[in-house]
Structures are given as structure tokens and as C-alpha cells.
Amino acid sequence: MKIYVPADALARALGADAVAAALAAAAAARGLVVQILRNGSRGMAWLEPLVEVETPEGRLAFGPFSGADAGALFDAPEAHPKALGLTEEVPFLKRQTRLTFARVGVIDPLDLADYEAEGGLAGLRRALAMRPEAVVAEVADSGLRGRGGAGFPTGIKWRTVAAAPGPQKYIVCNADEGDSGSFADRMLIEGDPFALIEGMAIAGLAVGADKGFVYIRSEYPDAIAVLGRALALARGAGLLGASVLGSGRGFDIELRVGAGSYVCGEETALLNSIEGKRGTVRAKPPLPAIEGLWGKPTVVNNVLSLATVPIILARGAGYYRDFGIGRSRGTMPLQLAGNVRFGGLFEVPFGLTLGEIVNDIGGGTASGRPVKAVQVGGPLGAWFPPALFDTPFGYEEFAAAGGLIGHAGLVVVDESADMLALARFAMEFCAVESCGKCTPCRIGSVRGVETLDRIAAGDGTAVPLLRDLCETMRLGSLCALGGFAPYPVLSALDHFPQDFARAREAAE
Ligand SMILES: Cc1cc2nc3c(=O)[nH]c(=O)nc-3n(C[C@H](O)[C@H](O)[C@H](O)COP(=O)(O)O)c2cc1C
Ligand code: SF4
């Protein structure tokens, strides 16, 4: 009997280790021989820990599982109170198109044979048989855009690095994942680390880089441990090293752990941090693609961008490009968080409306009260009220509605939320995390907090000042931390003016 119990950090936080131990004990007490495999998470947070049992018809799901549920799994599985039926038929999973996350929750994350059996390494093998320019062209043709936030076309970035002169180039994977409501990078690394390693190896071969770095946040100890073990296994299997899969072409990866700074997710601050310098933002130009890590041409890509490359190479650019809308091609792993009934990871082609995502897929709020707003794209993303819920999920569509999709983290709040307090939180976050390099952000964010406090104290004359300050930050900041902090502030003010007027009315 094969039983899957996720070792994903979320599942572990909800008791998955105790569940695995209880299952082993219950099986031993009954004299049963069972194999307990620790997989990644299927991404249905409200069902974790989600236990699966392999059957000839497919895997059966049980959740949310606790140690007390273990005995019944062996005694009367068909009548188990936590039975959910076939995993693949659970509606939240069935409605998805899993390309980047195809193997997450399915395989043993550290079993290379399992990885290969589920389609792994096909992309790298194909890339090794192609000319590097053709690999870059394939990624460009797929329409893949950076999943870290800015949405820059990945193929164009790679082409720039490939064309830059010099013998030493680097691939840097951005696994800093600082956005509120975001967890896709963590889930991918914990559930399918070889996909990221394979994607980075393909990137290295394509642009002529023999060295890669993964910059990962220290708050992800499980992901760090899994990736560290996966890198060692990949080296042992010849997937990394002096001759990738016996090709005679070398590529290796080093892991670097950040120290808890949001701005170190910004690519140039990240490069400084890897170099051992303070994590402050560099002025651009030069772009990292021309002068990046230690001044060498560098590809900086998000985990999801790189982990999507293997399937593009394996199935072809057209296969990936056929999903999506407009200039947003392929799929996006959405992350539903905050006050939402069905939170978790939902990978789907671009194009669903925000309302479909929040209400149909997310099931509305966990509190049962009406949704007041959704913040999309992290702490610098705009708040969307239900009036904008017909906005299709796509880069251009969200920009036209005054927001951004960023890394596709969505934080839902219900009608009890105070949007003035949330606007203040955004400004304060900017003040705390500012790297201090430019004045509009360093000073502006502090003044922004003070101005919002004046509004909260009933001073309505501070509202035009806040708008003026936000405009200065938007136009004058060196990077998107200061430049985008006005989005959550102004969207809160524009869509929920009553929350800003309440204090004034109380003072009058
Ligand atoms: C303040 C700030 C924080 C950022 N944090 C992240 C992050 O945690 N992860 C990430 O991939 N990109 C982050 N970015 C975007 C990166 O600068 C960069 O655009 C990205 O890593 C490029 O990879 P991509 O093209 O694959 O998206 C951040 C940007 C800013 C301005
Ligand atoms: S906007 Fe803020 S974080 Fe970005 S460079 Fe300026 S001070 Fe640093």
C-alpha cells in the first residue's frame, strides 16, 4: 500500500509529520506493510494535511487529515469521514491546467527517476540537441513573460545575455518571494525542485553561462533543505557539473540564502546581496543582462519563469503559447490567500476574470461576509473592488484597470476591512523596507505614513497632500518599491473614499 503525506511547509505546519507518524504506527499495529511517501502539496490549503492512497483507479484523497484519522484509513477506507474521492476529481484540482505545477504533489520531489517518469529532463535533452540560438528562439516564441512581477519577455532577456560579449555569464534565480499572499515559488521548490534545476540548466546552455545561483529567502527553511538535497542529487546524477548529461557542456548551481529584506527581491539589490554587499538598488542602465553579477552579463529570472522552461522545450513553443489571452500567454499559478474560503494554488491559463477567481474558485470569503476588496500582486499591488471584478487576468488588462498582476498573489479582505488602515500599512511597509538610495521613497514613505495619520485623525486637508506625495513617489523613485507603493494607497482612497472620510466625519 502506497500512501502520500505532503512534506510541504504548509502541510507540515498543519501537522503532516504527526500524520505520517500516526499512519506508520497504525499500519504497524495492524501488521500491514505500507510505504509512506512524502510528496509536495496539491495546493488546496484548506484540505491540508491531504493524505492520498494509491489505488488501481487513481489516488484517493483524504483531508484535512489528523493523527486520529489514521486507524480508520486501514479499517474502513470507503467509509472514512475525511474521504474526498479521487484526487484528480476534486473540483479545485480538476478545473486547473497544470503545466508549471504538473508534477507538484504527484511525485516524490527528491526522486530523479520519478521526475523523469513524469516527463522531467525531456526539455533539457531536446535543448542539448539544439543550437543555443534555437533554444532562445523557442522560449521567445512561447510568449513566456517573467513571473516575478514585471512581466518582461523571458526570451528577449535571454537573447540580450546571449549576445553580450564576454566569456563569463551567469543565471540567477530569484527565489526571494517577498510578496504578501505569495507562495508559488516555495511550493514549486519543495514539490518539484528538479524542474527549477532543469530550467536553469537550459537557460545556461542557451545563453552560454556555466554557473547559476539561486537566491532564496531565509524564511523558507524547508525549501532551502529540499533544494540543497536536490542539487547534490543532480550533481551525483550528472545533471549538473562539468558535463551536463554527458554533453561535454558544463553548468552548476550554488544556493545563496537572503537575510530577510523585501527589496533584496529587486534584481539589482539581489545581485549586490549575492556579491556580499548591502542590498541596495543599482541605477539602471546598465541592465543586469549587460552588466549583472560581478559586472558580467546575467539572466535574472523568477523561479516560476525558469521552472516553466522545461515544459516549453519538451512540448514546443506553440503548445505553451496556445494557452492564454492577448500578450499574456500560457498559464499562471495563482495564489489565493487572505480571507478566502478555498485558499491555495490554482494554475490556469490567463483570461479568467478576477470575479471568477475570487468567487467561483476561491468561494468568496472564509468569514462568509461579502468581499470588500482584493489586493493583487503583493504589497505594492492595487486594491480591486468588486466593481472591477470583470477584469480579465492578464498583464495589460490589469494595467489598464490601474493595477498589476505581479507574482499573482491575491489577498482577499471582507467588508470589515478598514482600507485607510491598509493604505497606512502599505506606506509603512515601504518606509520599513526602503533601501534608502533615493529620496522620494526614503523620505516620501515616512511622510506618507504621517499624512495618512493626519487623515485618520480627521484632517481632510491632508488628502490632496497625500495625492501629491504619491505622484512624486510614483514618478521620482528609482525602483518599483517607492514607485508602486502609491498603488495600494491611491486605489484604497479612490475606491473606498468613505473609509478615509469616516474619521473626518467623526471629528466634525
Ligand atoms: C521591491 C521589489 C521586490 C521584488 N521582489 C521579487 C521577488 O521576490 N521575486 C521575484 O522573482 N522578483 C521580484 N522582483 C522583480 C525583480 O526585480 C525582477 O524583475 C525579476 O526577478 C525578474 O525575473 P522574471 O523576468 O522572471 O520575472 C521585485 C522587484 C521589486 C522592485
Ligand atoms: S525606490 Fe526605495 S527601495 Fe527603490 S531604490 Fe529608491 S529608496 Fe531604494
Side-chain angles (χ1 to χ4, degrees):
M1 190 177 184
K2 218 181 213 179
I3 305 177
Y4 290 84
V5 182
D8 173 276
L10 171 72
R12 291 189 62 212
L14 292 167
D17 291 348
V19 164
L23 284 166
R30 288 162 180 76
L32 297 169
V33 179
V34 298
Q35 191 187 356
I36 297 176
L37 278 160
R38 304 303 300 268
N39 55 340
S41 169
R42 296 280 193 162
M44 298 181 283
W46 74 101
L47 293 177
E48 292 290 3
L50 183 86
V51 167
E52 294 177 79
V53 177
E54 195 150 283
T55 74
E57 292 74 42
R59 289 190 201 168
L60 292 172
F62 301 83
F65 211 88
S66 76
D69 298 319
L73 192 74
F74 302 114
D75 299 338
E78 56 296 328
H80 199 284
K82 301 288 176 66
L84 300 162
L86 286 167
T87 312
E88 300 292 341
E89 296 296 319
V90 176
F92 190 88
L93 209 51
K94 199 174 179 187
R95 292 177 69 184
Q96 300 188 40
T97 304
R98 287 203 162 194
L99 304 184
T100 310
F101 276 73
R103 281 175 297 264
V104 175
V106 176
I107 60 165
D108 173 345
L110 291 170
D111 186 337
L112 248 178
D114 218 4
Y115 178 69
E116 252 193 290
E118 291 292 330
L121 298 187
L124 178 57
R125 290 217 163 86
R126 182 163 169 247
L128 281 166
M130 292 162 75
R131 284 179 302 110
E133 313 84 82
V135 176
V136 174
E138 191 86 18
V139 173
D141 288 350
S142 74
L144 178 68
R145 291 167 70 175
R147 302 299 191 227
F152 190 82
T154 307
I156 294 179
K157 190 180 281 188
W158 288 21
R159 196 168 281 153
T160 310
V161 175
Q168 182 64 62
K169 297 173 186 179
Y170 295 109
I171 308 297
V172 170
C173 168
N174 190 341
D176 201 48
E177 196 163 58
D179 282 0
S180 40
S182 280
F183 44 83
D185 295 352
R186 178 189 63 70
M187 270 187 65
L188 190 287
I189 291 173
E190 291 177 7
D192 193 13
F194 294 123
L196 174 60
I197 294 171
E198 184 182 348
M200 289 182 72
I202 294 171
L205 295 165
V207 307
D210 64 359
K211 183 85 200 249
F213 290 87
V214 177
Y215 186 88
I216 188 166
R217 64 196 336 246
S218 58
E219 296 91 334
Y220 280 176
D222 290 23
I224 293 166
V226 171
L227 192 54
R229 288 206 292 278
L231 288 171
L233 289 168
R235 262 178 228 119
L239 166 56
L240 293 175
S243 176
V244 172
L245 296 181
S247 63
R249 293 152 77 187
F251 188 74
D252 211 334
I253 299 173
E254 240 181 75
L255 197 51
R256 293 294 173 97
V257 179
S261 152
Y262 180 72
V263 81
C264 280
E266 194 282 336
E267 57 186 2
T268 61
L270 184 153
L271 296 175
N272 274 345
S273 181
I274 294 181
E275 290 181 17
K277 299 177 182 144
R278 269 185 66 184
T280 52
V281 172
R282 298 178 185 173
K284 289 190 237 178
L287 292 168
I290 308 289
E291 281 181 42
L293 195 58
W294 292 294
K296 309 296 181 203
T298 303
V299 167
V300 183
N301 270 142
N302 173 253
V303 173
L304 302 182
S305 315
L306 290 161
T308 303
V309 165
I311 193 166
I312 290 172
L313 266 296
R315 309 287 284 264
Y319 172 79
Y320 191 75
R321 194 182 51 227
D322 280 352
F323 295 98
I325 53 161
R327 290 184 52 225
S328 305
R329 309 312 313 171
T331 57
M332 188 76 200
L334 308 171
Q335 300 128 79
L336 284 159
N339 187 347
V340 65
R341 191 156 163 227
F342 302 125
L345 185 125
F346 193 94
E347 183 176 349
V348 70
F350 287 96
L352 283 185
T353 67
L354 185 56
E356 286 170 320
I357 295 166
V358 174
N359 294 321
D360 300 350
I361 295 162
T365 62
S367 61
R369 295 164 125 160
V371 173
K372 181 162 183 174
V374 187
Q375 188 177 32
V376 185
L380 313 174
W383 286 100
F384 280 74
L388 291 178
F389 273 16
D390 58 355
T391 311
F393 208 85
Y395 292 98
E396 280 66 36
E397 292 74 7
F398 263 55
L404 54 112
I405 63 171
H407 189 46
L410 293 94
V411 176
V412 181
V413 296
D414 75 11
E415 62 179 6
S416 67
D418 175 352
M419 301 310 291
L420 172 56
L422 288 170
R424 187 191 189 279
F425 177 79
M427 244 342 156
E428 192 186 14
F429 180 83
C430 182
V432 169
E433 297 292 341
S434 170
C435 83
K437 178 122 173 178
C438 69
T439 315
C441 168
R442 185 184 68 247
I443 308 283
S445 55
V446 177
R447 295 289 167 264
V449 173
E450 292 166 2
T451 312
L452 283 156
D453 283 343
R454 277 173 58 188
I455 296 170
D459 180 0
T461 64
V463 171
L465 193 60
L466 179 69
R467 287 194 184 280
D468 204 28
L469 180 67
C470 282
E471 195 60 2
T472 305
M473 288 177 70
R474 198 174 68 78
L475 297 173
S477 295
L478 184 59
C479 86
L481 179 53
F484 281 50
Y487 280 71
V489 175
L490 292 180
S491 57
L493 176 61
D494 289 339
H495 299 305
F496 304 96
Q498 66 280 10
D499 285 15
F500 289 69
R502 204 170 294 129
R504 193 171 68 241
E505 283 156 12
E508 280 166 6

mmCIF file of all heavy atoms in Angstrom, residues 110-113 115-116 121 124-125 128 194 197 229-247 251-252:
data_model
loop_
_atom_site.group_PDB
_atom_site.id
_atom_site.type_symbol
_atom_site.label_atom_id
_atom_site.label_comp_id
_atom_site.label_asym_id
_atom_site.label_seq_id
_atom_site.Cartn_x
_atom_site.Cartn_y
_atom_site.Cartn_z
ATOM 1 N N LEU A 110 12.312 14.359 -4.417
ATOM 2 C CA LEU A 110 13.751 14.086 -4.463
ATOM 3 C C LEU A 110 14.068 12.763 -5.154
ATOM 4 O O LEU A 110 15.140 12.203 -4.973
ATOM 5 C CB LEU A 110 14.325 14.124 -3.042
ATOM 6 C CG LEU A 110 14.339 15.539 -2.432
ATOM 7 C CD1 LEU A 110 14.681 15.494 -0.958
ATOM 8 C CD2 LEU A 110 15.312 16.450 -3.181
ATOM 9 N N ASP A 111 13.153 12.290 -5.970
ATOM 10 C CA ASP A 111 13.375 11.038 -6.696
ATOM 11 C C ASP A 111 13.508 11.360 -8.187
ATOM 12 O O ASP A 111 12.523 11.609 -8.879
ATOM 13 C CB ASP A 111 12.191 10.103 -6.435
ATOM 14 C CG ASP A 111 12.405 8.722 -7.046
ATOM 15 O OD1 ASP A 111 13.203 8.614 -7.996
ATOM 16 O OD2 ASP A 111 11.765 7.770 -6.575
ATOM 17 N N LEU A 112 14.753 11.349 -8.663
ATOM 18 C CA LEU A 112 15.002 11.738 -10.060
ATOM 19 C C LEU A 112 14.311 10.783 -11.045
ATOM 20 O O LEU A 112 13.853 11.204 -12.115
ATOM 21 C CB LEU A 112 16.504 11.751 -10.326
ATOM 22 C CG LEU A 112 17.140 13.113 -10.591
ATOM 23 C CD1 LEU A 112 18.640 12.984 -10.780
ATOM 24 C CD2 LEU A 112 16.525 13.839 -11.771
ATOM 25 N N ALA A 113 14.230 9.495 -10.664
ATOM 26 C CA ALA A 113 13.580 8.529 -11.558
ATOM 27 C C ALA A 113 12.089 8.865 -11.692
ATOM 28 O O ALA A 113 11.514 8.806 -12.784
ATOM 29 C CB ALA A 113 13.770 7.116 -11.023
ATOM 30 N N TYR A 115 10.852 11.813 -11.284
ATOM 31 C CA TYR A 115 10.834 13.068 -12.067
ATOM 32 C C TYR A 115 10.859 12.759 -13.557
ATOM 33 O O TYR A 115 10.060 13.290 -14.336
ATOM 34 C CB TYR A 115 12.041 13.920 -11.661
ATOM 35 C CG TYR A 115 12.190 15.224 -12.408
ATOM 36 C CD1 TYR A 115 11.293 16.266 -12.214
ATOM 37 C CD2 TYR A 115 13.232 15.425 -13.326
ATOM 38 C CE1 TYR A 115 11.424 17.471 -12.890
ATOM 39 C CE2 TYR A 115 13.380 16.624 -14.001
ATOM 40 C CZ TYR A 115 12.473 17.643 -13.783
ATOM 41 O OH TYR A 115 12.607 18.824 -14.464
ATOM 42 N N GLU A 116 11.760 11.878 -13.949
ATOM 43 C CA GLU A 116 11.887 11.520 -15.373
ATOM 44 C C GLU A 116 10.660 10.779 -15.875
ATOM 45 O O GLU A 116 10.187 11.026 -16.988
ATOM 46 C CB GLU A 116 13.128 10.651 -15.568
ATOM 47 C CG GLU A 116 14.234 11.402 -16.272
ATOM 48 C CD GLU A 116 15.342 10.490 -16.749
ATOM 49 O OE1 GLU A 116 16.056 9.984 -15.878
ATOM 50 O OE2 GLU A 116 15.490 10.319 -17.982
ATOM 51 N N LEU A 121 13.276 16.121 -17.594
ATOM 52 C CA LEU A 121 14.510 16.037 -18.396
ATOM 53 C C LEU A 121 14.268 15.958 -19.912
ATOM 54 O O LEU A 121 15.220 16.057 -20.686
ATOM 55 C CB LEU A 121 15.411 14.864 -17.959
ATOM 56 C CG LEU A 121 15.929 14.924 -16.514
ATOM 57 C CD1 LEU A 121 16.938 13.802 -16.261
ATOM 58 C CD2 LEU A 121 16.568 16.263 -16.203
ATOM 59 N N LEU A 124 15.394 19.391 -21.314
ATOM 60 C CA LEU A 124 16.850 19.563 -21.330
ATOM 61 C C LEU A 124 17.479 18.712 -22.427
ATOM 62 O O LEU A 124 18.387 19.167 -23.141
ATOM 63 C CB LEU A 124 17.427 19.187 -19.954
ATOM 64 C CG LEU A 124 18.938 19.258 -19.799
ATOM 65 C CD1 LEU A 124 19.471 20.648 -20.123
ATOM 66 C CD2 LEU A 124 19.361 18.865 -18.379
ATOM 67 N N ARG A 125 16.999 17.492 -22.584
ATOM 68 C CA ARG A 125 17.562 16.613 -23.627
ATOM 69 C C ARG A 125 17.347 17.242 -24.994
ATOM 70 O O ARG A 125 18.235 17.243 -25.844
ATOM 71 C CB ARG A 125 16.889 15.238 -23.568
ATOM 72 C CG ARG A 125 17.282 14.458 -22.335
ATOM 73 C CD ARG A 125 17.438 12.965 -22.612
ATOM 74 N NE ARG A 125 18.197 12.366 -21.516
ATOM 75 C CZ ARG A 125 17.643 11.929 -20.379
ATOM 76 N NH1 ARG A 125 16.335 11.990 -20.210
ATOM 77 N NH2 ARG A 125 18.401 11.423 -19.428
ATOM 78 N N LEU A 128 19.680 20.216 -25.453
ATOM 79 C CA LEU A 128 21.072 19.817 -25.708
ATOM 80 C C LEU A 128 21.295 19.441 -27.170
ATOM 81 O O LEU A 128 22.414 19.527 -27.677
ATOM 82 C CB LEU A 128 21.457 18.638 -24.801
ATOM 83 C CG LEU A 128 21.797 19.006 -23.350
ATOM 84 C CD1 LEU A 128 21.837 17.774 -22.465
ATOM 85 C CD2 LEU A 128 23.122 19.770 -23.280
ATOM 86 N N PHE A 194 13.631 19.638 -9.134
ATOM 87 C CA PHE A 194 14.391 19.354 -10.363
ATOM 88 C C PHE A 194 13.877 20.165 -11.551
ATOM 89 O O PHE A 194 14.610 20.401 -12.509
ATOM 90 C CB PHE A 194 14.364 17.851 -10.682
ATOM 91 C CG PHE A 194 15.088 17.012 -9.658
ATOM 92 C CD1 PHE A 194 14.438 15.986 -8.990
ATOM 93 C CD2 PHE A 194 16.424 17.255 -9.352
ATOM 94 C CE1 PHE A 194 15.106 15.220 -8.038
ATOM 95 C CE2 PHE A 194 17.101 16.496 -8.398
ATOM 96 C CZ PHE A 194 16.438 15.472 -7.736
ATOM 97 N N ILE A 197 15.923 23.249 -11.408
ATOM 98 C CA ILE A 197 17.312 22.940 -11.788
ATOM 99 C C ILE A 197 17.397 22.725 -13.299
ATOM 100 O O ILE A 197 18.302 23.244 -13.972
ATOM 101 C CB ILE A 197 17.801 21.696 -11.008
ATOM 102 C CG1 ILE A 197 17.889 22.029 -9.501
ATOM 103 C CG2 ILE A 197 19.141 21.198 -11.542
ATOM 104 C CD1 ILE A 197 18.151 20.834 -8.605
ATOM 105 N N ARG A 229 19.361 19.382 -1.122
ATOM 106 C CA ARG A 229 19.469 17.939 -1.381
ATOM 107 C C ARG A 229 19.312 17.649 -2.877
ATOM 108 O O ARG A 229 20.012 16.810 -3.445
ATOM 109 C CB ARG A 229 18.414 17.172 -0.576
ATOM 110 C CG ARG A 229 18.729 17.136 0.910
ATOM 111 C CD ARG A 229 18.120 15.917 1.606
ATOM 112 N NE ARG A 229 16.668 15.967 1.670
ATOM 113 C CZ ARG A 229 15.978 16.651 2.582
ATOM 114 N NH1 ARG A 229 16.610 17.351 3.494
ATOM 115 N NH2 ARG A 229 14.668 16.647 2.570
ATOM 116 N N ALA A 230 18.384 18.367 -3.524
ATOM 117 C CA ALA A 230 18.148 18.146 -4.962
ATOM 118 C C ALA A 230 19.400 18.514 -5.764
ATOM 119 O O ALA A 230 19.754 17.815 -6.729
ATOM 120 C CB ALA A 230 16.946 18.965 -5.434
ATOM 121 N N LEU A 231 20.091 19.588 -5.366
ATOM 122 C CA LEU A 231 21.307 19.985 -6.092
ATOM 123 C C LEU A 231 22.379 18.890 -5.968
ATOM 124 O O LEU A 231 23.037 18.544 -6.957
ATOM 125 C CB LEU A 231 21.840 21.319 -5.552
ATOM 126 C CG LEU A 231 21.028 22.573 -5.917
ATOM 127 C CD1 LEU A 231 21.529 23.790 -5.142
ATOM 128 C CD2 LEU A 231 21.067 22.845 -7.422
ATOM 129 N N ALA A 232 22.509 18.341 -4.768
ATOM 130 C CA ALA A 232 23.503 17.272 -4.575
ATOM 131 C C ALA A 232 23.145 16.041 -5.417
ATOM 132 O O ALA A 232 24.014 15.436 -6.060
ATOM 133 C CB ALA A 232 23.590 16.906 -3.095
ATOM 134 N N LEU A 233 21.857 15.699 -5.431
ATOM 135 C CA LEU A 233 21.419 14.554 -6.233
ATOM 136 C C LEU A 233 21.651 14.807 -7.725
ATOM 137 O O LEU A 233 22.075 13.915 -8.469
ATOM 138 C CB LEU A 233 19.923 14.270 -5.991
ATOM 139 C CG LEU A 233 19.566 13.680 -4.614
ATOM 140 C CD1 LEU A 233 18.066 13.725 -4.377
ATOM 141 C CD2 LEU A 233 20.073 12.239 -4.515
ATOM 142 N N ALA A 234 21.364 16.045 -8.157
ATOM 143 C CA ALA A 234 21.536 16.389 -9.572
ATOM 144 C C ALA A 234 23.004 16.293 -9.977
ATOM 145 O O ALA A 234 23.333 15.816 -11.070
ATOM 146 C CB ALA A 234 20.997 17.799 -9.832
ATOM 147 N N ARG A 235 23.873 16.730 -9.075
ATOM 148 C CA ARG A 235 25.315 16.619 -9.355
ATOM 149 C C ARG A 235 25.722 15.151 -9.454
ATOM 150 O O ARG A 235 26.420 14.740 -10.387
ATOM 151 C CB ARG A 235 26.111 17.305 -8.248
ATOM 152 C CG ARG A 235 26.530 18.697 -8.624
ATOM 153 C CD ARG A 235 27.285 19.397 -7.502
ATOM 154 N NE ARG A 235 26.700 20.720 -7.340
ATOM 155 C CZ ARG A 235 26.125 21.176 -6.252
ATOM 156 N NH1 ARG A 235 26.067 20.435 -5.154
ATOM 157 N NH2 ARG A 235 25.613 22.383 -6.219
ATOM 158 N N GLY A 236 25.238 14.366 -8.506
ATOM 159 C CA GLY A 236 25.566 12.939 -8.479
ATOM 160 C C GLY A 236 25.097 12.213 -9.732
ATOM 161 O O GLY A 236 25.728 11.256 -10.190
ATOM 162 N N ALA A 237 23.992 12.674 -10.295
ATOM 163 C CA ALA A 237 23.413 12.015 -11.468
ATOM 164 C C ALA A 237 23.937 12.605 -12.779
ATOM 165 O O ALA A 237 23.495 12.200 -13.865
ATOM 166 C CB ALA A 237 21.891 12.122 -11.422
ATOM 167 N N GLY A 238 24.836 13.589 -12.691
ATOM 168 C CA GLY A 238 25.404 14.182 -13.908
ATOM 169 C C GLY A 238 24.481 15.170 -14.599
ATOM 170 O O GLY A 238 24.720 15.591 -15.728
ATOM 171 N N LEU A 239 23.417 15.572 -13.885
ATOM 172 C CA LEU A 239 22.530 16.590 -14.453
ATOM 173 C C LEU A 239 23.165 17.969 -14.324
ATOM 174 O O LEU A 239 22.938 18.872 -15.132
ATOM 175 C CB LEU A 239 21.183 16.491 -13.718
ATOM 176 C CG LEU A 239 20.151 17.585 -13.819
ATOM 177 C CD1 LEU A 239 19.792 17.861 -15.265
ATOM 178 C CD2 LEU A 239 18.879 17.177 -13.064
ATOM 179 N N LEU A 240 23.989 18.117 -13.285
ATOM 180 C CA LEU A 240 24.796 19.329 -13.115
ATOM 181 C C LEU A 240 26.254 18.905 -13.074
ATOM 182 O O LEU A 240 26.558 17.743 -12.792
ATOM 183 C CB LEU A 240 24.447 20.034 -11.806
ATOM 184 C CG LEU A 240 23.066 20.659 -11.682
ATOM 185 C CD1 LEU A 240 22.870 21.208 -10.269
ATOM 186 C CD2 LEU A 240 22.858 21.773 -12.707
ATOM 187 N N GLY A 241 27.155 19.843 -13.349
ATOM 188 C CA GLY A 241 28.584 19.536 -13.262
ATOM 189 C C GLY A 241 29.304 19.861 -14.553
ATOM 190 O O GLY A 241 28.801 20.630 -15.388
ATOM 191 N N ALA A 242 30.467 19.268 -14.713
ATOM 192 C CA ALA A 242 31.347 19.620 -15.831
ATOM 193 C C ALA A 242 30.767 19.202 -17.184
ATOM 194 O O ALA A 242 31.101 19.785 -18.222
ATOM 195 C CB ALA A 242 32.710 18.967 -15.632
ATOM 196 N N SER A 243 29.879 18.213 -17.178
ATOM 197 C CA SER A 243 29.337 17.729 -18.445
ATOM 198 C C SER A 243 27.861 17.355 -18.228
ATOM 199 O O SER A 243 27.543 16.238 -17.813
ATOM 200 C CB SER A 243 30.154 16.510 -18.910
ATOM 201 O OG SER A 243 29.600 15.974 -20.078
ATOM 202 N N VAL A 244 26.993 18.338 -18.503
ATOM 203 C CA VAL A 244 25.559 18.142 -18.241
ATOM 204 C C VAL A 244 25.017 16.992 -19.092
ATOM 205 O O VAL A 244 25.081 17.032 -20.321
ATOM 206 C CB VAL A 244 24.778 19.449 -18.533
ATOM 207 C CG1 VAL A 244 23.265 19.218 -18.452
ATOM 208 C CG2 VAL A 244 25.202 20.540 -17.554
ATOM 209 N N LEU A 245 24.530 15.954 -18.434
ATOM 210 C CA LEU A 245 24.009 14.744 -19.086
ATOM 211 C C LEU A 245 24.969 14.209 -20.157
ATOM 212 O O LEU A 245 24.551 13.763 -21.221
ATOM 213 C CB LEU A 245 22.613 15.004 -19.700
ATOM 214 C CG LEU A 245 21.475 15.338 -18.725
ATOM 215 C CD1 LEU A 245 20.154 15.536 -19.467
ATOM 216 C CD2 LEU A 245 21.312 14.273 -17.644
ATOM 217 N N GLY A 246 26.266 14.320 -19.864
ATOM 218 C CA GLY A 246 27.286 13.779 -20.765
ATOM 219 C C GLY A 246 27.490 14.572 -22.041
ATOM 220 O O GLY A 246 28.100 14.097 -23.000
ATOM 221 N N SER A 247 27.015 15.817 -22.053
ATOM 222 C CA SER A 247 27.076 16.624 -23.285
ATOM 223 C C SER A 247 28.446 17.254 -23.524
ATOM 224 O O SER A 247 28.721 17.787 -24.595
ATOM 225 C CB SER A 247 26.045 17.751 -23.192
ATOM 226 O OG SER A 247 26.386 18.617 -22.102
ATOM 227 N N PHE A 251 27.516 23.054 -16.382
ATOM 228 C CA PHE A 251 26.648 24.007 -15.678
ATOM 229 C C PHE A 251 26.486 23.542 -14.240
ATOM 230 O O PHE A 251 26.239 22.365 -13.984
ATOM 231 C CB PHE A 251 25.267 24.115 -16.336
ATOM 232 C CG PHE A 251 24.425 25.218 -15.740
ATOM 233 C CD1 PHE A 251 24.701 26.559 -16.035
ATOM 234 C CD2 PHE A 251 23.389 24.938 -14.854
ATOM 235 C CE1 PHE A 251 23.960 27.588 -15.464
ATOM 236 C CE2 PHE A 251 22.638 25.963 -14.283
ATOM 237 C CZ PHE A 251 22.918 27.286 -14.591
ATOM 238 N N ASP A 252 26.656 24.473 -13.299
ATOM 239 C CA ASP A 252 26.422 24.129 -11.892
ATOM 240 C C ASP A 252 25.720 25.289 -11.192
ATOM 241 O O ASP A 252 25.711 26.416 -11.695
ATOM 242 C CB ASP A 252 27.745 23.783 -11.180
ATOM 243 C CG ASP A 252 27.501 22.743 -10.083
ATOM 244 O OD1 ASP A 252 26.362 22.664 -9.553
ATOM 245 O OD2 ASP A 252 28.448 22.006 -9.738
#
